[in-house]
């Protein structure tokens, strides 16, 4: 509710707003669980957590990368969450999964960009990035802090 992308009066996210100009923007998005493992399992399968469980994917789960593979897609995942990459269920259908345990977002994004650069031109790809940075306590980079008064955005 404090992003100009969604109508907030102050220019609080100019880069995000510019990115969104050529992207799909969701006005309502909900997690199926309050923690990563079941939420990501739901994202990959389209199933509710009571179907795939709290700790991983059911052995008979069918994932989005498994659906995209026969259509010619290469599916890559880069995650800051080592337990996701270690769980063989979460890797179902992915061409490659790379875990950079607790790495900051810029390292995760750099690894993803390197994986994309290694693909053949015009190769269709599905990319999953799992960043850990948004969790608190959050300390934004110094160059972004200067735009905000000491009490933060409001």
């Amino acid at each position: 509710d404090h992003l100009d992308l969604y109508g907030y009066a102050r220019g609080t996210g100019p880069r995000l707003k510019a990115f969104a100009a050529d992207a799909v923007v969701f006005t309502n998005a909900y997690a199926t669980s309050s923690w990563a493992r079941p939420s990501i399992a739901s994202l990959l399968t389209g199933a509710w957590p009571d179907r795939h469980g709290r700790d991983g994917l059911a052995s008979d789960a069918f994932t989005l990368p498994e659906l995209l593979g026969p259509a010619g897609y290469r599916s890559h995942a880069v995650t800051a969450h080592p337990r996701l990459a270690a769980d063989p269920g979460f890797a179902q259908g992915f061409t490659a999964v790379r875990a950079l345990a607790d790495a900051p977002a810029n390292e995760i994004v750099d690894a993803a960009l390197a994986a994309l650069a290694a693909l053949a031109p015009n190769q269709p790809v599905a990319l999953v990035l799992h960043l850990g940075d948004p969790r608190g306590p959050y300390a934004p980079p110094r160059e972004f802090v200067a735009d905000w008064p000491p009490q933060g955005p409001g």
Side-chain angles (χ1 to χ4, degrees):
D1 68 343
H2 277 67
L3 287 171
D4 54 345
L5 164 65
Y6 293 103
Y8 188 64
R10 289 178 58 190
T12 53
R15 292 180 184 155
L16 186 59
K17 187 174 182 179
F19 173 77
D22 293 321
V24 176
V25 176
F26 293 92
T27 55
N28 293 301
Y30 303 94
T32 58
S33 177
S34 61
W35 63 300
R37 291 173 67 90
S39 287
I40 292 172
S42 290
L43 285 171
L44 293 176
T45 65
W48 292 101
D50 64 344
R51 169 67 180 92
H52 53 67
R54 292 174 34 115
D55 293 324
L57 292 175
S59 60
D60 63 343
F62 188 70
T63 66
L64 181 60
E66 289 176 300
L67 176 70
L68 294 173
Y73 281 78
R74 302 206 22 112
S75 298
H76 292 266
V78 185
T79 178
H81 195 308
R83 288 188 64 202
L84 287 177
D87 182 337
F90 282 102
Q92 287 177 214
F94 280 102
T95 308
V97 177
R98 182 164 181 206
L100 300 170
D102 300 320
N106 62 307
E107 290 180 23
I108 300 291
V109 171
D110 287 347
L113 291 173
L116 293 176
L119 294 175
N122 301 319
Q123 170 75 52
V125 64
L127 177 65
V128 173
L129 294 178
H130 184 251
L131 310 175
D133 291 26
R135 296 184 177 100
Y138 177 67
R142 187 174 303 276
E143 65 266 24
F144 298 115
V145 175
D147 294 338
W148 300 102
Q151 74 273 12

